Amino acid sequence: MKNKACFILFLLVCTLNVTAQNKIRVYGYVIDTNNRGIELANVYFENTSIGTSTNKNGYYELMTEIGDSATLVYSMVGYKTFKHTLYPKQKILQISVELPSESKEMNDIEVIAQRRQSSTLDYLDPTKLRLMPNSSGGIESLLITFAGVSQNNELSSQYTVRGGNFDENIVYVNGIEVYRPLLIRAGQQEGLSFINPDMVNSVAFSSGGFDAKYGDKMSSVLDIDYRKPVKTEASASLGLLGASAYVGTANKKFTQMHGVRYKTSAYLLGTLDTKGEYSPSFVDYQTYLTYQLKPKVEFTFLGNFSQNSYQFVPESRETKFGTYNMGRNLMVWFEGQEKDLFRTLFGAFTVNYKPTNKTKLSFIASTFHTNENETYDILGEYELSEVKMDLKEENKKGAALGIGKYQEHARNRLKATVANVAHTGEYNSGNHKLVWGTTLQFENISDKISEWEWRDSAGYSLPFSDKMVKLYYNMKAETSLPSLRTTGFIQETYKKNFDAGFFTVTGGLRANYWTYNKELLISPRVSMAFFPHWKRDFSFRFASGVYYQAPFYKEIRDTLTDASGNVNIALNSDIKAQRSLHFVLGGDHYFRGWGRPFKFTTEAYLKLADRVETYTVDNVRVRYSGENDAKAYTAGVDFKLYGELVPGTDSWLNFSLMNSKEDIIGDSYINKIYDDDRNVISIEKIYPGWVSRPNEQRYSVSMMFQDYLPNNPKYKMNMKFIWSDGLPFGAPRSVQYRAAYRAPAYRRVDIGASRVLVSGTDKIMEKKWLKHVKNIWINFEVFNLLDFENVNSYFWVTDIYSHQYAAPNYLTSRQYNVKLLVDFK
């Protein structure tokens, strides 16, 4: 099977299209006298209709059949026209030209301001990465292109940014904050994220130090804009992991988009150590409608319905771990099942009013509702045994080190409604831009939790008591939380061109008040950028501000343990928002290497946090302590090289270093020192001090590389590579061993090879039944190409000597996927 798959991949990448042998391919760059690419320049063959426009990097590409000679014309408003005559002796020609300016009075700085990053917000064109291998199916997989972003679970669309957790990232779609289900605890349950990649127009992202107009989170902001179709368009895709369909139409006043997605991860889950019947089913429908009532008035509506259904009947699990000299094998036999259902509804109605060319006003009303049910009863019987060093598989099993049982039970139900009305405005007078907004939000959450875990080791219930049977873990809650939240912001951007360079500064103030804890948050933020008038193209930026993690329902759940060891949840009305002071210093260097455009980015950052809530991470579930019980800091530096390693394609390489520590206030443990006869000779109280935070990744390397066959660009290859530090972990409910260990590094290589069939150039597309098809992409993907064993979390077991072992829960192994994408005319 493995050899066949590799052979298919080889054929897909290396086969040449014989129909293209009579054609010539011409490509290159159109640049100005400052060595910058000219966007939207016209490149065409004289006296023909064959032509194209350059992209933002000045790149163009043409394929045609020509005779003895042909003349290429390069033109752009404001630049002198250039002509070049070809006498082709080769099938592939690279021609780059420099267009001088027609007017010496052109204001170059306006071009720079449009194309250069003037804040911590960076942008990405999602259409260029449509074929990137992606096992989760969400656009969040693209975020590894941004500095400081880490993803350590291919089953999940969640991501961490510069030491933060999943809940510290805020997501906007068309300026409206969107939410995800609250009960999800594993990537297997997660399904589809809110964002539909088929409907996305632009992606903007900031890893910290973002403007005041963005909400109260401490790590990052993802700002997505859905596009407005200008004509009828449609696409569909089908693969082993799901399917999707999209259609958009437009007329003079009305535009509409509709997208349907279906995902099933059963194929991927079959590679996990735990074998059984996986039945995940995830369905999502979205629509985006716009209506231009008058030239100055527009109505829009964004709607979404999603349902995640996850059913699982486990059968057995076998996990080998340890070292070569001290190997261990964990075997588990299961009974029972898990049934989860998550349904969400979202709707947002917006009125956009533009009274003048300088002023924009928006009025928004939106509602989000989620109904979540998590139920499972799973009984497991396990055996922990030695693994002998023997070449024969049948002789490797050694003596049993521990046997036991455990049972996990849950009946968790949560309903949440978030409804708000908001107003945003913008006034742009050229060098000055004023932005403001205010929101009134109602939140109503009801939660019923009943979950417990019982463990038995060698006939003794854990934790052992000779007076009663104790549960290893249990939690109960029945809570309701209605509340109001108001937010507001104002920010001003000022731009000025000096002799030394172009300067821009943005300052803003954000306020947040929540009726539940009666806390008013004031968040001042500032960012500035400088583009010096140097011969070499550099830019510099700095951002700072006070950022709060405004508490939501999960953060205020405080756990109270009674005398019998039962854990109950009480909502902590005294909780305060976590607070972080950000400093971000960065710069970009734009240059051309081998005639192609590149950008090298460096960003250093420091985050000082107090009123921190400690938390633990299990898979994708974040459990908070429910108290402001720590202080923390995070410092690091990110490097990114972005550019066209292959002409006309974007590739990048990221490298990050980070140090993230926290100090829990008042935590301690007793350390006993024994003599040779196991008698206690001294007792010492230890204060751990600064320890690694749960999402501290000391280093991370990621790369995305795109390529194609030079003589036939219809054959493309995309490769994604991640190598990042393992996350800290420790024994459960142990102060002494909190973050005492570290998981192995997360390593993963995904690769995809594709072939596009284009209407008008491929003979098969001349079929009558394909007359409405524009393109057909055939994509073959290999996930985890090198079959690395990545660890997601740990299951702790105890042997007959009362030694605890952390049995790793491995993620998916190598897997293949075939996907068909069709674009309709």
Side-chain angles (χ1 to χ4, degrees):
M1 177 64 185
K2 189 184 302 183
N3 293 333
K4 289 182 179 179
C6 293
F7 180 68
I8 294 173
L9 180 63
F10 176 79
L11 288 179
L12 190 59
V13 176
C14 297
T15 306
L16 297 179
N17 185 359
V18 295
T19 63
Q21 297 303 308
N22 296 324
K23 294 184 178 181
I24 183 172
R25 173 174 172 253
V26 184
Y27 70 95
Y29 297 88
V30 180
I31 61 176
D32 59 19
T33 54
N34 293 320
N35 210 27
R36 302 189 184 105
I38 300 176
E39 185 177 4
L40 299 178
N42 297 309
V43 183
Y44 59 93
F45 285 99
E46 193 172 39
N47 300 322
T48 72
S49 60
I50 302 172
T52 187
S53 297
T54 58
N55 66 12
K56 65 179 181 179
N57 294 322
Y59 178 80
Y60 74 93
E61 180 179 328
L62 288 170
M63 290 190 69
T64 187
E65 295 181 0
I66 64 174
D68 295 334
S69 65
T71 301
L72 265 178
V73 180
Y74 303 83
S75 66
M76 179 64 182
V77 176
Y79 295 89
K80 294 182 179 179
T81 300
F82 180 83
K83 295 184 179 181
H84 182 85
T85 303
L86 304 178
Y87 302 96
K89 296 181 180 180
Q90 297 175 313
K91 298 296 182 182
I92 304 173
L93 294 174
Q94 179 177 354
I95 302 174
S96 296
V97 301
E98 180 182 290
L99 298 184
S101 171
E102 279 190 336
S103 173
K104 296 182 179 179
E105 297 179 356
M106 284 188 65
N107 190 352
D108 288 338
I109 197 63
E110 292 182 2
V111 178
I112 295 174
Q114 293 174 359
R115 298 175 50 226
R116 298 301 187 249
Q117 185 177 342
S118 60
S119 70
T120 62
L121 206 64
D122 200 2
Y123 293 87
L124 175 71
D125 182 1
T127 60
K128 291 191 173 183
L129 301 173
R130 187 181 181 189
L131 298 174
M132 186 175 75
N134 184 354
S135 58
S136 69
I139 202 169
E140 289 82 0
S141 293
L142 302 181
L143 297 183
I144 65 165
T145 64
F146 297 107
V149 180
S150 298
Q151 289 180 314
N152 280 25
N153 187 342
E154 63 272 10
L155 297 175
S156 171
S157 61
Q158 299 306 310
Y159 53 92
T160 62
V161 179
R162 292 176 175 172
N165 67 39
F166 309 130
D167 298 328
E168 295 177 14
N169 307 312
I170 194 168
V171 179
Y172 290 92
V173 174
N174 289 359
I176 304 164
E177 183 179 356
V178 298
Y179 300 85
R180 66 186 184 100
L182 300 175
L183 285 183
I184 285 180
R185 58 185 171 82
Q188 296 93 307
Q189 302 171 306
E190 194 171 295
L192 295 160
S193 69
F194 182 93
I195 304 164
N196 188 329
D198 294 330
M199 302 170 70
V200 172
N201 178 56
S202 66
V203 179
F205 185 81
S206 174
S207 298
F210 38 88
D211 292 340
K213 68 177 183 178
Y214 295 114
D216 298 287
K217 300 287 186 180
M218 292 199 303
S219 286
S220 74
V221 58
L222 173 62
D223 192 359
I224 301 289
D225 273 335
Y226 279 0
R227 66 177 179 269
K228 292 173 59 177
V230 296
K231 60 180 181 179
T232 300
E233 56 187 30
S235 65
S237 67
L238 178 66
L240 298 179
L241 299 179
S244 68
Y246 157 79
V247 62
T249 65
N251 57 34
K252 291 183 179 179
K253 288 191 173 184
F254 180 68
T255 71
Q256 59 178 327
M257 289 196 303
H258 304 275
V260 179
R261 294 179 293 167
Y262 169 76
K263 177 185 175 183
T264 175
S265 54
Y267 178 61
L268 277 178
L269 299 178
T271 67
L272 299 177
D273 282 350
T274 301
K275 306 302 179 184
E277 297 179 12
Y278 290 92
S279 300
S281 177
F282 312 111
V283 180
D284 169 272
Y285 166 75
Q286 284 192 38
T287 182
Y288 180 52
L289 314 174
T290 71
Y291 181 72
Q292 195 77 38
L293 180 66
K294 296 179 179 180
K296 295 182 178 182
V297 180
E298 180 190 47
F299 297 149
T300 73
F301 175 76
L302 175 63
N304 168 257
F305 167 78
S306 68
Q307 176 175 293
N308 294 357
S309 175
Y310 177 74
Q311 298 184 32
F312 175 43
V313 180
E315 296 174 356
S316 64
R317 164 184 173 170
E318 183 176 13
T319 302
K320 291 182 171 63
F321 61 99
T323 63
Y324 181 76
N325 294 325
M326 195 174 69
R328 296 291 183 263
N329 184 71
L330 176 66
M331 190 72 194
V332 188
W333 297 267
F334 295 102
E335 294 180 11
Q337 63 178 333
E338 176 177 356
K339 289 185 176 181
D340 305 324
L341 184 63
F342 307 91
R343 285 198 184 105
T344 61
L345 289 166
F346 176 83
F349 179 75
T350 304
V351 179
N352 296 316
Y353 175 54
K354 194 174 182 180
T356 68
N357 291 332
K358 296 181 179 181
T359 306
K360 298 179 183 178
L361 304 175
S362 296
F363 303 90
I364 307 166
S366 68
T367 300
F368 167 80
H369 177 75
T370 180
N371 187 356
E372 307 175 22
N373 293 272
E374 181 185 46
T375 62
Y376 55 82
D377 277 293
I378 296 177
L379 176 66
E381 298 185 11
Y382 68 85
E383 179 187 44
L384 179 68
S385 60
E386 293 180 336
V387 177
K388 292 182 178 180
M389 294 182 292
D390 197 295
L391 296 178
K392 296 183 179 179
E393 188 66 32
E394 60 271 17
N395 297 331
K396 287 187 176 182
K397 184 176 180 179
L401 296 176
I403 58 173
K405 299 180 181 180
Y406 69 91
Q407 183 174 357
E408 297 177 337
H409 165 94
R411 296 291 184 272
N412 300 331
R413 292 173 174 82
L414 183 143
K415 292 183 179 180
T417 300
V418 179
N420 64 54
V421 291
H423 162 65
T424 61
E426 176 184 314
Y427 178 77
N428 194 339
S429 62
N431 289 337
H432 292 269
K433 182 178 180 182
L434 181 67
V435 182
W436 67 90
T438 182
T439 302
L440 175 62
Q441 181 166 291
F442 170 73
E443 302 167 2
N444 187 21
I445 301 171
S446 61
D447 187 16
K448 293 182 180 180
I449 294 179
S450 176
E451 61 181 58
W452 50 262
E453 181 179 353
W454 167 78
R455 288 196 186 185
D456 177 283
S457 179
Y460 294 94
S461 180
L462 297 177
F464 175 72
S465 172
D466 57 0
K467 296 181 180 179
M468 66 179 72
V469 176
K470 290 187 176 182
L471 293 174
Y472 184 76
Y473 159 78
N474 76 95
M475 180 178 291
K476 280 188 175 292
E478 186 168 349
T479 55
S480 178
L481 178 63
S483 64
L484 286 173
R485 193 187 305 264
T486 57
T487 62
F489 72 89
I490 184 169
Q491 72 176 43
E492 162 83 3
T493 299
Y494 174 72
K495 301 176 181 178
K496 180 69 174 178
N497 191 16
F498 298 96
D499 292 338
F502 181 73
F503 179 76
T504 176
V505 59
T506 299
L509 194 67
R510 185 175 186 87
N512 181 307
Y513 180 77
W514 193 26
T515 59
Y516 181 72
N517 65 352
K518 298 178 175 57
E519 183 183 22
L520 176 64
L521 308 176
I522 303 296
S523 175
R525 306 174 188 179
V526 64
S527 64
M528 56 191 71
F530 180 63
F531 304 87
H533 292 163
W534 296 348
K535 184 176 181 180
R536 294 187 176 183
D537 198 347
F538 283 89
S539 64
F540 305 94
R541 58 185 172 273
F542 172 77
S544 182
V546 178
Y547 294 82
Y548 291 93
Q549 181 76 15
F552 199 58
Y553 175 68
K554 288 167 63 176
E555 288 96 324
I556 66 174
R557 298 196 309 181
D558 193 5
T559 54
L560 304 175
T561 305
D562 61 23
S564 300
N566 298 309
V567 178
N568 295 284
I569 288 180
L571 301 184
N572 183 5
S573 60
D574 295 325
I575 199 74
K576 300 298 181 184
Q578 301 178 76
R579 181 169 55 190
S580 178
L581 178 60
H582 287 201
F583 300 94
V584 181
L585 178 64
D588 300 320
H589 175 38
Y590 296 83
F591 63 97
R592 302 188 78 87
W594 306 284
R596 300 189 287 271
F598 289 91
K599 180 178 78 169
F600 182 72
T601 299
T602 302
E603 277 195 357
Y605 59 91
L606 173 65
K607 300 192 289 187
L608 305 174
D610 64 350
R611 310 198 306 192
V612 172
E613 277 191 74
T614 56
Y615 61 88
T616 58
V617 180
D618 182 12
N619 204 306
V620 298
R621 179 167 60 180
V622 180
R623 286 193 180 274
Y624 293 91
S625 65
E627 298 178 347
N628 301 110
D629 55 357
K631 55 185 178 179
Y633 71 87
T634 301
V637 60
D638 299 320
F639 304 95
K640 177 180 177 180
L641 178 64
Y642 184 92
E644 297 187 4
L645 293 176
V646 176
T649 66
D650 291 336
S651 301
W652 66 85
L653 175 66
N654 290 339
F655 176 64
S656 299
L657 297 172
M658 178 177 63
N659 181 27
S660 183
K661 297 291 189 293
E662 65 184 9
D663 184 8
I664 302 177
I665 300 171
D667 64 326
S668 64
Y669 63 89
I670 300 299
N671 184 40
K672 297 180 180 179
I673 300 177
Y674 300 87
D675 60 16
D676 294 339
D677 298 325
R678 301 299 296 170
N679 297 315
V680 178
I681 58 176
S682 66
I683 297 177
E684 184 181 8
K685 192 173 186 178
I686 304 295
Y687 295 91
W690 295 96
V691 299
S692 295
R693 302 204 75 192
N695 285 303
E696 181 196 46
Q697 287 184 302
R698 297 167 299 184
Y699 64 88
S700 178
V701 181
S702 61
M703 180 180 70
M704 175 65 188
F705 177 70
Q706 300 183 79
D707 199 359
Y708 53 81
L709 292 183
N711 56 347
N712 195 342
K714 294 179 181 178
Y715 290 90
K716 298 182 182 294
M717 185 275 292
N718 293 266
M719 185 183 71
K720 183 173 67 174
F721 166 78
I722 302 174
W723 189 311
S724 57
D725 190 21
L727 296 176
F729 72 98
R733 293 174 291 279
S734 171
V735 176
Q736 181 175 358
Y737 295 104
R738 177 182 174 88
Y741 312 105
R742 191 171 289 270
Y746 181 86
R747 302 166 297 169
R748 187 173 175 89
V749 179
D750 295 338
I751 192 170
S754 59
R755 166 67 156 95
V756 62
L757 302 173
V758 182
S759 176
T761 61
D762 289 283
K763 287 187 177 181
I764 192 174
M765 300 296 287
E766 298 175 2
K767 302 287 185 180
K768 190 174 181 180
W769 55 278
L770 292 175
K771 63 180 180 179
H772 297 297
V773 176
K774 181 181 179 181
N775 298 317
I776 298 177
W777 288 94
I778 304 169
N779 195 28
F780 178 74
E781 300 171 326
V782 183
F783 302 129
N784 198 1
L785 176 68
L786 302 181
D787 205 19
F788 290 120
E789 288 188 329
N790 293 309
V791 177
N792 182 31
S793 57
Y794 289 88
F795 177 74
W796 290 82
V797 295
T798 306
D799 67 9
I800 57 177
Y801 306 107
S802 297
H803 296 154
Q804 282 189 310
Y805 292 89
N809 297 316
Y810 291 113
L811 287 164
T812 58
S813 57
R814 184 190 295 116
Q815 200 69 297
Y816 307 98
N817 184 38
V818 178
K819 186 163 58 175
L820 184 71
L821 297 94
V822 181
D823 295 325
F824 296 94
K825 296 179 182 178

